[in-house]
Amino acid sequence: MLTEPQALDSCLWANRQVSDWVVVLHSFEEYLHSALFADGTRLDALLRSWSARLAPRRVALFELFQEPFGGPRAPSARSVLSSWTHKRGDLLKGKRGGEWLKAAGNHLKPFSFVADPLNVVHSAVHLAQPRGDGQGIVAMEDRVLRVNHYIDLGVNSSRCLHELGGCEVSDGSIAWAEDAVIARREKRAFMGTVAWPQPRTRTPSILPYCYSWQY
């Protein structure tokens, strides 16, 4: 955790002049999700389309919000996507004044980002800074593109219950992706049984959740 900001900066700078976009997911609990993916639409096509709408201003950064999932685990689940299908409720409902401001700070702050590595000067864990004042920052609506965060994965007690008051709103919008996730998992398991030639030197990656796209 102490070196996470430096690792993310390293990822961004390593992709300058190499990749058009870099998206950050912090751990295996997080899945990038859009309902538009269900019909086969690719993320790179969406980013290109959204950027074109704001021309001639250059988009440096798409800010993403999280949607925490948790609660009781489904007993017959095939993957994390069907293990937890209930998300948090509206933290702002019924609140006013200082209580509303505190809830808004938790509910509405950016969680991750998709960045143009040429036009981001540095990043933090959840935020990034554009290189110039005239460059655009787009805050994505969670119904369009978000991070599904399965916060009860790998814990002995429910974070959703103790930190957010419970996850009770049903949302199965990512269920379409489960077959693809399982297929990739089974493919990797099969490849693990094959005696593939190994390189003489192996450098462990410290950036397993930094992904990039080229057009």
Side-chain angles (χ1 to χ4, degrees), residues 21 43-53 62 214-215:
W21 297 100
L43 178 61
D44 54 352
L46 292 175
L47 295 174
R48 187 161 55 246
S49 173
W50 294 332
S51 298
R53 296 180 190 177
F62 292 94
Q214 297 173 318
Y215 295 154

Side-chain angles (χ1 to χ4, degrees), residues 130-200:
R131 181 170 53 87
D133 292 338
Q135 296 170 326
I137 301 176
V138 180
M140 301 302 300
E141 293 184 65
D142 59 3
R143 65 180 180 85
V144 177
L145 184 66
R146 72 187 188 208
V147 176
N148 277 13
H149 189 186
Y150 296 89
I151 61 176
D152 282 353
L153 175 63
V155 297
N156 294 323
S157 60
S158 175
R159 290 178 59 197
C160 200
L161 176 62
H162 296 299
E163 297 177 16
L164 301 176
C167 292
E168 301 176 350
V169 180
S170 179
D171 185 340
S173 60
I174 201 174
W176 63 271
E178 186 168 54
D179 287 341
V181 169
I182 292 174
R184 289 180 64 86
R185 183 172 63 192
E186 291 174 345
K187 180 179 179 180
R188 293 189 66 178
F190 169 76
M191 292 178 67
T193 65
V194 179
W196 299 103
Q198 297 296 319
R200 294 192 178 188

Side-chain angles (χ1 to χ4, degrees), residues 18-67:
V18 175
S19 303
D20 295 286
W21 297 100
V22 171
V23 59
V24 171
L25 296 176
H26 307 95
S27 78
F28 53 83
E29 303 170 351
E30 301 169 16
Y31 287 75
L32 194 66
H33 172 56
S34 172
L36 299 171
F37 295 160
D39 63 6
T41 303
R42 292 171 54 92
L43 178 61
D44 54 352
L46 292 175
L47 295 174
R48 187 161 55 246
S49 173
W50 294 332
S51 298
R53 296 180 190 177
L54 296 175
R57 173 173 288 189
R58 176 79 182 191
V59 177
L61 187 67
F62 292 94
E63 292 184 334
L64 307 177
F65 297 86
Q66 69 164 326
E67 192 62 76

Side-chain angles (χ1 to χ4, degrees), residues 194-214:
V194 179
W196 299 103
Q198 297 296 319
R200 294 192 178 188
T201 59
R202 302 181 68 183
T203 304
S205 171
I206 62 169
L207 302 172
Y209 306 114
C210 174
Y211 304 96
S212 60
W213 275 267
Q214 297 173 318

Side-chain angles (χ1 to χ4, degrees), residues 82-102:
S82 56
S83 293
W84 293 278
T85 58
H86 288 77
K87 63 184 180 181
R88 67 179 173 184
D90 186 352
L91 299 181
L92 307 181
K93 187 176 181 180
K95 295 181 174 63
R96 296 184 178 181
E99 189 179 23
W100 185 93
L101 290 174
K102 182 178 179 180

